[in-house]
Amino acid sequence: MAYNRRYESTYFSLNGRQYYLEIRDSKFTGTTRDCDLGAGGCQIHYDMDGEEKYSPIIASKMDIPFIVKDAIDEQFIKNLLEDYNEEDVVVALYRGGSAGYSPLWSGYLLMDLGAQQDVSFPYEVKLTATDG
């Protein structure tokens, strides 16, 4: 299954580090669009309860504050809710500039976005991806 790059974003963290996010879609065949992210950018959370924090493999999730700017972005969110399966969309986060990206995190986008908002553009939707 080929995953085509649907969205990409380059942003800087609060401490000045550069990050590059790409969202790849197995059902997409168009051109790549730039996406905007909400304040703070992507956040990675590790599941470390009790004794699990000493495990050699620790599950994690990444929250993506995706900004819906127009009808094309809104249709993507709608498709995630209605037409996509769990492994249809992959996200990857890299650290560094375009000359030398270092892979930092990757996983599948989850399809549990909840209720859609009925507000005007732009608005923020929290996308969640998991690595396992």
Side-chain angles (χ1 to χ4, degrees):
M1 178 182 328
Y3 289 94
N4 298 311
R5 188 178 314 131
R6 184 169 192 146
Y7 287 102
E8 63 184 1
S9 177
T10 300
Y11 66 96
F12 291 88
S13 68
L14 295 175
N15 62 3
R17 286 191 177 143
Q18 185 176 3
Y19 293 92
Y20 172 73
L21 172 74
E22 64 181 12
I23 299 174
R24 292 182 171 265
D25 186 340
S26 65
K27 296 182 178 184
F28 181 69
T29 57
T31 59
T32 304
R33 289 177 48 109
D34 286 331
C35 67
D36 293 332
L37 302 178
C42 299
Q43 295 180 357
I44 300 172
H45 307 279
Y46 294 93
D47 297 329
M48 299 186 306
D49 295 330
E51 292 296 316
E52 293 178 14
K53 63 185 169 188
Y54 301 112
S55 173
I57 299 174
I58 299 173
S60 64
K61 290 184 179 182
M62 183 169 67
D63 292 334
I64 306 165
F66 186 85
I67 302 292
V68 179
K69 299 178 290 196
D70 55 24
I72 295 171
D73 295 343
E74 189 173 55
Q75 186 62 44
F76 171 64
I77 299 300
K78 183 178 179 186
N79 289 344
L80 288 176
L81 289 169
E82 297 174 0
D83 301 330
Y84 281 62
N85 295 316
E86 289 292 329
E87 295 183 357
D88 287 342
V89 180
V90 173
V91 297
L93 183 65
Y94 302 89
R95 185 166 62 191
S98 61
Y101 290 126
S102 299
L104 185 62
W105 193 94
S106 66
Y108 292 108
L109 198 63
L110 299 175
M111 305 303 154
D112 56 350
L113 296 174
Q116 275 191 279
Q117 299 181 22
D118 188 20
V119 294
S120 60
F121 302 121
Y123 61 91
E124 183 178 312
V125 172
K126 184 177 91 170
L127 302 177
T128 303
T130 183
D131 66 352

